[in-house]
Amino acid sequence: MNRKIYVASSWRNEYYPEVVAKLREAGHDVYDFRNPPSGDPGFKWSSVSNDYMEWSPAQYRDMLKHPKAERQFHNDIEAMEACDTCVLVLPCGRSAHTEAGWFAGRGCKTIAYIPEKQEPELMYKLFDKVCCSMDELIEALK
C-alpha cells in the first residue's frame, strides 16, 4: 500500500533528507516541508526576523500573523489534511510534535522514528508504532 506521508521533524534533523528519500524510494507520496510543492522556500523564523529568539511572548504571538508564517502554515496544514500517515523523525521540536499529535488525534497512522538515543517519552504510546531503524520504518508502513 502506497501512503501519503507527512514527515514531521526539524530543520536541524540530519536524518530528515534520508527519510524523505527512502520513503519515496519505497513508493510513497511524501510531503517535504523543506521543499513544499508550492515552490515557496521552506519556512524558518529567521526569514521573518534575525532577532526571533529575543521576541517577547506578545511579539511571538503577533509574528504568527506574519505573511511568511501564514503562507507556510497554509502549505503545511494543506499537506497534513491531504496525508493519511505521519512519520515523526526525532530529534525534533514542538511544531513537529504538535503535527504528529494532530495526526494521532485524527486516527491517522502515526509512527515515531527514533534513529538515535533520545530521552524516553511515554506518550509515544499514542502512536501506532515506534521504529528504531529505516528497515523497521519501511516495514511498519506496509
Side-chain angles (χ1 to χ4, degrees), residues 22-85:
K22 294 286 187 185
L23 294 178
R24 286 179 174 160
E25 284 174 24
H28 302 291
D29 181 6
V30 181
Y31 176 71
D32 178 0
F33 72 84
R34 293 182 183 180
N35 300 289
S38 65
D40 293 330
F43 177 79
K44 294 181 181 181
W45 281 111
S46 60
S47 68
V48 171
S49 174
N50 286 330
D51 69 344
Y52 69 98
M53 291 298 290
E54 306 304 318
W55 292 344
S56 68
Q59 287 171 307
Y60 170 49
R61 179 192 60 214
D62 293 345
M63 288 308 221
L64 288 169
K65 297 175 187 162
H66 188 281
K68 290 181 180 180
E70 291 281 1
R71 185 172 55 242
Q72 188 61 38
F73 178 79
H74 174 76
N75 287 338
D76 289 349
I77 200 72
E78 187 175 85
M80 290 167 67
E81 289 171 344
C83 289
D84 56 45
T85 303

Side-chain angles (χ1 to χ4, degrees), residues 9 20 29 64 91 94 97 107 111:
S9 194
V20 169
D29 181 6
L64 288 169
R94 298 180 310 269
H97 280 86
I111 299 171

Side-chain angles (χ1 to χ4, degrees), residues 8 13 31 69 73 78 83 100 106 108 110 114 120 128:
N13 187 300
Y31 176 71
F73 178 79
E78 187 175 85
C83 289
R106 289 176 59 113
C108 296
T110 307
I114 309 175
D128 296 286

Side-chain angles (χ1 to χ4, degrees), residues 3 85-90 100 104 108-114 121-142:
R3 297 182 175 277
T85 303
C86 178
V87 173
L88 177 70
V89 182
L90 275 67
C108 296
K109 188 167 192 79
T110 307
I111 299 171
Y113 174 50
I114 309 175
E121 177 53 62
L122 178 64
M123 297 313 287
Y124 290 158
K125 289 179 68 63
L126 289 171
F127 298 168
D128 296 286
K129 196 89 167 167
V130 174
C131 297
C132 303
S133 72
M134 185 59 65
D135 290 340
E136 268 189 307
L137 177 59
I138 297 297
E139 186 63 29
L141 291 166
K142 291 183 178 173

